[in-house]
Short mmCIF file of all heavy atoms in Angstrom, two decimals:
data_model
loop_
_atom_site.label_atom_id
_atom_site.label_comp_id
_atom_site.label_asym_id
_atom_site.label_seq_id
_atom_site.Cartn_x
_atom_site.Cartn_y
_atom_site.Cartn_z
N LYS A 1 -8.69 -10.27 2.57
CA LYS A 1 -10.08 -9.78 2.48
C LYS A 1 -10.92 -10.24 3.66
O LYS A 1 -10.74 -11.34 4.19
CB LYS A 1 -10.70 -10.24 1.17
CG LYS A 1 -10.01 -9.60 -0.03
CD LYS A 1 -10.82 -9.71 -1.30
CE LYS A 1 -10.15 -8.87 -2.39
NZ LYS A 1 -10.75 -9.06 -3.70
N ASN A 2 -11.85 -9.38 4.03
CA ASN A 2 -12.84 -9.68 5.08
C ASN A 2 -12.24 -10.26 6.35
O ASN A 2 -12.71 -11.28 6.85
CB ASN A 2 -13.92 -10.62 4.52
CG ASN A 2 -14.96 -9.84 3.74
OD1 ASN A 2 -15.37 -8.74 4.15
ND2 ASN A 2 -15.36 -10.38 2.61
N VAL A 3 -11.21 -9.59 6.87
CA VAL A 3 -10.66 -10.04 8.16
C VAL A 3 -11.72 -9.84 9.24
O VAL A 3 -11.81 -10.60 10.21
CB VAL A 3 -9.33 -9.34 8.52
CG1 VAL A 3 -8.21 -9.83 7.65
CG2 VAL A 3 -9.43 -7.82 8.46
N PHE A 4 -12.53 -8.80 9.07
CA PHE A 4 -13.78 -8.62 9.81
C PHE A 4 -14.80 -8.13 8.78
O PHE A 4 -14.43 -7.75 7.68
CB PHE A 4 -13.62 -7.60 10.96
CG PHE A 4 -12.74 -8.10 12.06
CD1 PHE A 4 -11.39 -7.77 12.09
CD2 PHE A 4 -13.25 -8.92 13.06
CE1 PHE A 4 -10.56 -8.26 13.10
CE2 PHE A 4 -12.42 -9.41 14.06
CZ PHE A 4 -11.09 -9.09 14.08
N ASN A 5 -16.05 -8.13 9.15
CA ASN A 5 -17.09 -7.71 8.22
C ASN A 5 -16.80 -6.31 7.66
O ASN A 5 -16.56 -5.38 8.43
CB ASN A 5 -18.44 -7.72 8.97
CG ASN A 5 -19.59 -7.77 8.00
OD1 ASN A 5 -19.43 -8.17 6.86
ND2 ASN A 5 -20.75 -7.33 8.45
N ASN A 6 -16.82 -6.18 6.33
CA ASN A 6 -16.57 -4.90 5.63
C ASN A 6 -15.13 -4.39 5.75
O ASN A 6 -14.86 -3.25 5.37
CB ASN A 6 -17.49 -3.78 6.15
CG ASN A 6 -18.92 -3.97 5.72
OD1 ASN A 6 -19.17 -4.47 4.63
ND2 ASN A 6 -19.86 -3.59 6.56
N LEU A 7 -14.22 -5.20 6.28
CA LEU A 7 -12.86 -4.70 6.53
C LEU A 7 -11.79 -5.61 5.90
O LEU A 7 -11.69 -6.79 6.23
CB LEU A 7 -12.63 -4.61 8.05
CG LEU A 7 -11.27 -4.11 8.55
CD1 LEU A 7 -10.93 -2.74 7.99
CD2 LEU A 7 -11.26 -4.06 10.08
N ASP A 8 -11.03 -5.03 4.96
CA ASP A 8 -9.88 -5.71 4.36
C ASP A 8 -8.61 -5.06 4.90
O ASP A 8 -8.63 -3.92 5.37
CB ASP A 8 -9.88 -5.54 2.82
CG ASP A 8 -11.12 -6.13 2.16
OD1 ASP A 8 -11.86 -6.88 2.82
OD2 ASP A 8 -11.35 -5.83 0.97
N ILE A 9 -7.49 -5.79 4.79
CA ILE A 9 -6.21 -5.21 5.23
C ILE A 9 -5.10 -5.58 4.27
O ILE A 9 -5.09 -6.67 3.69
CB ILE A 9 -5.86 -5.66 6.68
CG1 ILE A 9 -4.58 -4.97 7.16
CG2 ILE A 9 -5.74 -7.18 6.79
CD1 ILE A 9 -4.22 -5.20 8.62
N ILE A 10 -4.16 -4.66 4.08
CA ILE A 10 -2.86 -5.00 3.48
C ILE A 10 -1.89 -5.10 4.65
O ILE A 10 -1.58 -4.10 5.30
CB ILE A 10 -2.40 -3.94 2.46
CG1 ILE A 10 -3.43 -3.82 1.34
CG2 ILE A 10 -1.04 -4.33 1.90
CD1 ILE A 10 -3.11 -2.74 0.32
N PRO A 11 -1.44 -6.32 4.96
CA PRO A 11 -0.64 -6.54 6.18
C PRO A 11 0.81 -6.15 5.99
O PRO A 11 1.26 -5.85 4.88
CB PRO A 11 -0.78 -8.05 6.40
CG PRO A 11 -0.94 -8.60 5.02
CD PRO A 11 -1.67 -7.56 4.22
N THR A 12 1.53 -6.15 7.10
CA THR A 12 2.99 -5.94 7.02
C THR A 12 3.67 -6.81 8.07
O THR A 12 3.02 -7.41 8.93
CB THR A 12 3.35 -4.46 7.24
OG1 THR A 12 4.68 -4.26 6.75
CG2 THR A 12 3.32 -4.05 8.70
N ASN A 13 5.00 -6.88 7.96
CA ASN A 13 5.81 -7.49 9.03
C ASN A 13 7.17 -6.79 9.03
O ASN A 13 7.36 -5.80 8.33
CB ASN A 13 5.94 -9.02 8.86
CG ASN A 13 6.49 -9.41 7.50
OD1 ASN A 13 7.26 -8.66 6.89
ND2 ASN A 13 6.10 -10.57 7.01
N ILE A 14 8.09 -7.31 9.77
CA ILE A 14 9.38 -6.62 10.00
C ILE A 14 10.19 -6.44 8.71
O ILE A 14 11.06 -5.57 8.63
CB ILE A 14 10.20 -7.37 11.09
CG1 ILE A 14 11.28 -6.45 11.69
CG2 ILE A 14 10.77 -8.67 10.56
CD1 ILE A 14 10.75 -5.27 12.47
N ASP A 15 9.88 -7.22 7.67
CA ASP A 15 10.58 -7.06 6.38
C ASP A 15 10.51 -5.62 5.88
O ASP A 15 11.43 -5.14 5.22
CB ASP A 15 9.96 -7.96 5.29
CG ASP A 15 10.19 -9.44 5.58
OD1 ASP A 15 11.02 -9.75 6.45
OD2 ASP A 15 9.55 -10.28 4.92
N LEU A 16 9.42 -4.95 6.21
CA LEU A 16 9.20 -3.59 5.71
C LEU A 16 10.30 -2.63 6.17
O LEU A 16 10.57 -1.63 5.50
CB LEU A 16 7.83 -3.08 6.15
CG LEU A 16 7.39 -1.72 5.60
CD1 LEU A 16 7.28 -1.74 4.07
CD2 LEU A 16 6.06 -1.28 6.20
N SER A 17 10.95 -2.94 7.30
CA SER A 17 11.97 -2.02 7.81
C SER A 17 13.15 -1.91 6.85
O SER A 17 13.91 -0.94 6.89
CB SER A 17 12.45 -2.46 9.20
OG SER A 17 12.88 -3.79 9.16
N GLY A 18 13.32 -2.89 5.98
CA GLY A 18 14.41 -2.83 4.99
C GLY A 18 14.04 -2.09 3.72
O GLY A 18 14.88 -1.85 2.85
N ALA A 19 12.77 -1.73 3.59
CA ALA A 19 12.29 -1.14 2.33
C ALA A 19 12.96 0.20 2.02
O ALA A 19 13.24 0.51 0.86
CB ALA A 19 10.77 -0.97 2.37
N GLU A 20 13.24 0.98 3.05
CA GLU A 20 13.83 2.31 2.84
C GLU A 20 15.12 2.22 2.01
O GLU A 20 15.34 2.99 1.09
CB GLU A 20 14.18 2.96 4.19
CG GLU A 20 13.01 3.14 5.10
CD GLU A 20 12.54 4.59 5.17
OE1 GLU A 20 13.25 5.48 4.68
OE2 GLU A 20 11.45 4.79 5.69
N ILE A 21 15.96 1.25 2.37
CA ILE A 21 17.24 1.10 1.68
C ILE A 21 17.01 0.64 0.25
O ILE A 21 17.64 1.13 -0.69
CB ILE A 21 18.14 0.11 2.46
CG1 ILE A 21 18.43 0.69 3.84
CG2 ILE A 21 19.43 -0.18 1.72
CD1 ILE A 21 18.86 -0.29 4.87
N GLU A 22 16.07 -0.28 0.07
CA GLU A 22 15.81 -0.81 -1.27
C GLU A 22 15.20 0.24 -2.19
O GLU A 22 15.26 0.12 -3.41
CB GLU A 22 14.90 -2.04 -1.18
CG GLU A 22 15.55 -3.14 -0.35
CD GLU A 22 14.88 -4.49 -0.52
OE1 GLU A 22 14.55 -4.83 -1.66
OE2 GLU A 22 14.70 -5.17 0.49
N LEU A 23 14.60 1.26 -1.60
CA LEU A 23 13.95 2.30 -2.42
C LEU A 23 14.91 3.40 -2.86
O LEU A 23 14.55 4.24 -3.68
CB LEU A 23 12.81 2.96 -1.61
CG LEU A 23 11.57 2.11 -1.36
CD1 LEU A 23 10.61 2.86 -0.45
CD2 LEU A 23 10.88 1.76 -2.67
N LEU A 24 16.14 3.38 -2.33
CA LEU A 24 17.06 4.50 -2.55
C LEU A 24 17.20 4.90 -4.02
O LEU A 24 17.19 6.08 -4.35
CB LEU A 24 18.45 4.18 -1.97
CG LEU A 24 18.56 4.30 -0.44
CD1 LEU A 24 19.94 3.87 0.02
CD2 LEU A 24 18.27 5.73 0.01
N ASP A 25 17.35 3.92 -4.91
CA ASP A 25 17.63 4.24 -6.32
C ASP A 25 16.39 4.22 -7.20
O ASP A 25 16.49 4.33 -8.42
CB ASP A 25 18.66 3.25 -6.90
CG ASP A 25 19.97 3.33 -6.12
OD1 ASP A 25 20.28 4.44 -5.66
OD2 ASP A 25 20.64 2.30 -5.95
N ILE A 26 15.21 4.06 -6.59
CA ILE A 26 14.01 3.92 -7.41
C ILE A 26 13.42 5.30 -7.73
O ILE A 26 13.32 6.16 -6.86
CB ILE A 26 12.97 3.03 -6.69
CG1 ILE A 26 13.51 1.61 -6.62
CG2 ILE A 26 11.62 3.05 -7.38
CD1 ILE A 26 12.65 0.62 -5.91
N GLU A 27 13.06 5.48 -9.00
CA GLU A 27 12.45 6.75 -9.41
C GLU A 27 11.05 6.88 -8.84
O GLU A 27 10.32 5.89 -8.74
CB GLU A 27 12.38 6.81 -10.95
CG GLU A 27 13.48 7.64 -11.57
CD GLU A 27 13.27 7.74 -13.06
OE1 GLU A 27 12.34 8.44 -13.48
OE2 GLU A 27 14.05 7.08 -13.79
N ASN A 28 10.65 8.10 -8.52
CA ASN A 28 9.29 8.37 -8.00
C ASN A 28 8.94 7.48 -6.81
O ASN A 28 7.80 7.02 -6.68
CB ASN A 28 8.24 8.20 -9.10
CG ASN A 28 8.38 9.26 -10.17
OD1 ASN A 28 8.77 10.38 -9.87
ND2 ASN A 28 8.09 8.89 -11.40
N LYS A 29 9.94 7.22 -5.97
CA LYS A 29 9.72 6.30 -4.86
C LYS A 29 8.67 6.81 -3.86
O LYS A 29 8.10 6.04 -3.11
CB LYS A 29 11.03 5.99 -4.13
CG LYS A 29 11.81 7.20 -3.63
CD LYS A 29 13.09 6.76 -2.96
CE LYS A 29 13.99 7.93 -2.61
NZ LYS A 29 14.69 8.46 -3.79
N GLU A 30 8.41 8.12 -3.90
CA GLU A 30 7.42 8.70 -2.98
C GLU A 30 6.00 8.29 -3.34
O GLU A 30 5.08 8.45 -2.54
CB GLU A 30 7.49 10.24 -2.99
CG GLU A 30 8.83 10.81 -2.59
CD GLU A 30 9.78 10.97 -3.77
OE1 GLU A 30 9.43 10.55 -4.89
OE2 GLU A 30 10.88 11.49 -3.55
N TYR A 31 5.81 7.78 -4.58
CA TYR A 31 4.44 7.53 -5.08
C TYR A 31 4.12 6.05 -5.27
O TYR A 31 3.10 5.72 -5.87
CB TYR A 31 4.24 8.25 -6.42
CG TYR A 31 4.34 9.75 -6.32
CD1 TYR A 31 5.48 10.43 -6.75
CD2 TYR A 31 3.29 10.50 -5.80
CE1 TYR A 31 5.58 11.81 -6.65
CE2 TYR A 31 3.38 11.89 -5.70
CZ TYR A 31 4.52 12.52 -6.13
OH TYR A 31 4.61 13.89 -6.03
N ILE A 32 4.97 5.16 -4.76
CA ILE A 32 4.75 3.73 -5.01
C ILE A 32 3.42 3.27 -4.42
O ILE A 32 2.62 2.61 -5.09
CB ILE A 32 5.92 2.89 -4.43
CG1 ILE A 32 7.20 3.19 -5.20
CG2 ILE A 32 5.59 1.40 -4.49
CD1 ILE A 32 8.45 2.62 -4.57
N LEU A 33 3.17 3.63 -3.17
CA LEU A 33 1.92 3.21 -2.53
C LEU A 33 0.71 3.84 -3.22
O LEU A 33 -0.28 3.17 -3.49
CB LEU A 33 1.95 3.59 -1.05
CG LEU A 33 0.72 3.14 -0.24
CD1 LEU A 33 0.64 1.63 -0.15
CD2 LEU A 33 0.73 3.75 1.16
N LYS A 34 0.82 5.11 -3.52
CA LYS A 34 -0.30 5.83 -4.17
C LYS A 34 -0.71 5.15 -5.48
O LYS A 34 -1.89 4.94 -5.74
CB LYS A 34 0.08 7.28 -4.44
CG LYS A 34 -1.00 8.05 -5.23
CD LYS A 34 -0.60 9.48 -5.47
CE LYS A 34 -1.47 10.12 -6.56
NZ LYS A 34 -2.91 9.96 -6.36
N LYS A 35 0.30 4.80 -6.28
CA LYS A 35 0.02 4.18 -7.58
C LYS A 35 -0.79 2.89 -7.42
O LYS A 35 -1.72 2.62 -8.16
CB LYS A 35 1.36 3.89 -8.28
CG LYS A 35 1.28 3.94 -9.78
CD LYS A 35 2.66 3.95 -10.40
CE LYS A 35 3.26 2.56 -10.33
NZ LYS A 35 4.68 2.45 -10.41
N GLU A 36 -0.45 2.12 -6.40
CA GLU A 36 -1.15 0.84 -6.17
C GLU A 36 -2.53 1.06 -5.55
O GLU A 36 -3.51 0.46 -5.98
CB GLU A 36 -0.30 -0.06 -5.27
CG GLU A 36 0.95 -0.60 -5.93
CD GLU A 36 0.65 -1.51 -7.12
OE1 GLU A 36 -0.34 -2.26 -7.07
OE2 GLU A 36 1.41 -1.46 -8.10
N VAL A 37 -2.61 1.92 -4.54
CA VAL A 37 -3.89 2.13 -3.85
C VAL A 37 -4.91 2.77 -4.80
O VAL A 37 -6.11 2.47 -4.74
CB VAL A 37 -3.70 2.98 -2.57
CG1 VAL A 37 -5.04 3.41 -1.98
CG2 VAL A 37 -2.92 2.16 -1.52
N ASP A 38 -4.44 3.64 -5.70
CA ASP A 38 -5.35 4.28 -6.66
C ASP A 38 -6.12 3.26 -7.50
O ASP A 38 -7.23 3.52 -7.96
CB ASP A 38 -4.59 5.24 -7.59
CG ASP A 38 -4.36 6.60 -6.94
OD1 ASP A 38 -4.90 6.83 -5.84
OD2 ASP A 38 -3.63 7.44 -7.53
N LYS A 39 -5.50 2.08 -7.70
CA LYS A 39 -6.15 1.04 -8.52
C LYS A 39 -7.42 0.50 -7.87
O LYS A 39 -8.32 0.02 -8.56
CB LYS A 39 -5.18 -0.13 -8.77
CG LYS A 39 -3.98 0.23 -9.61
CD LYS A 39 -2.99 -0.94 -9.66
CE LYS A 39 -1.71 -0.54 -10.38
NZ LYS A 39 -0.68 -1.59 -10.28
N ILE A 40 -7.47 0.56 -6.53
CA ILE A 40 -8.62 -0.08 -5.86
C ILE A 40 -9.40 0.86 -4.93
O ILE A 40 -10.35 0.44 -4.28
CB ILE A 40 -8.18 -1.33 -5.05
CG1 ILE A 40 -7.17 -0.96 -3.97
CG2 ILE A 40 -7.64 -2.42 -5.96
CD1 ILE A 40 -6.96 -2.06 -2.95
N ARG A 41 -9.01 2.14 -4.87
CA ARG A 41 -9.65 3.02 -3.88
C ARG A 41 -11.15 3.15 -4.11
O ARG A 41 -11.91 3.39 -3.17
CB ARG A 41 -8.96 4.38 -3.79
CG ARG A 41 -9.22 5.34 -4.93
CD ARG A 41 -8.49 6.67 -4.71
NE ARG A 41 -9.11 7.49 -3.70
CZ ARG A 41 -8.61 8.65 -3.30
NH1 ARG A 41 -7.47 9.11 -3.81
NH2 ARG A 41 -9.24 9.38 -2.39
N ASP A 42 -11.59 3.01 -5.36
CA ASP A 42 -13.03 3.12 -5.65
C ASP A 42 -13.84 1.98 -5.03
O ASP A 42 -15.06 2.05 -4.96
CB ASP A 42 -13.27 3.16 -7.17
CG ASP A 42 -12.83 4.49 -7.77
OD1 ASP A 42 -12.54 5.42 -6.98
OD2 ASP A 42 -12.76 4.61 -9.00
N ASN A 43 -13.17 0.91 -4.62
CA ASN A 43 -13.88 -0.22 -3.99
C ASN A 43 -14.20 0.04 -2.52
O ASN A 43 -14.86 -0.77 -1.88
CB ASN A 43 -13.02 -1.50 -4.06
CG ASN A 43 -12.65 -1.87 -5.48
OD1 ASN A 43 -13.25 -1.37 -6.42
ND2 ASN A 43 -11.65 -2.73 -5.64
N TYR A 44 -13.69 1.14 -1.99
CA TYR A 44 -13.80 1.39 -0.54
C TYR A 44 -14.39 2.77 -0.24
O TYR A 44 -14.24 3.70 -1.03
CB TYR A 44 -12.42 1.29 0.12
CG TYR A 44 -11.82 -0.09 0.00
CD1 TYR A 44 -10.95 -0.40 -1.04
CD2 TYR A 44 -12.16 -1.10 0.90
CE1 TYR A 44 -10.42 -1.68 -1.19
CE2 TYR A 44 -11.63 -2.38 0.77
CZ TYR A 44 -10.77 -2.66 -0.27
OH TYR A 44 -10.26 -3.93 -0.40
N ASP A 45 -15.04 2.86 0.92
CA ASP A 45 -15.47 4.18 1.41
C ASP A 45 -14.33 4.88 2.13
O ASP A 45 -14.20 6.09 2.08
CB ASP A 45 -16.65 4.02 2.39
CG ASP A 45 -17.86 3.39 1.71
OD1 ASP A 45 -18.31 3.94 0.69
OD2 ASP A 45 -18.35 2.34 2.20
N PHE A 46 -13.51 4.07 2.83
CA PHE A 46 -12.38 4.63 3.58
C PHE A 46 -11.15 3.74 3.43
O PHE A 46 -11.27 2.51 3.44
CB PHE A 46 -12.70 4.71 5.09
CG PHE A 46 -13.69 5.79 5.43
CD1 PHE A 46 -15.05 5.51 5.52
CD2 PHE A 46 -13.27 7.10 5.67
CE1 PHE A 46 -15.97 6.50 5.82
CE2 PHE A 46 -14.18 8.09 5.98
CZ PHE A 46 -15.53 7.80 6.05
#
């Protein structure tokens, strides 16, 4: 939170490059991010 004024971030690192393989067998894998971001999108303008 507040890495700069009015600006939050969800960070990443190189671990994310392995996510594609781990998602192979997961149902609705296309919507994982959407499901999480929908929980907090009302807190933000953008």
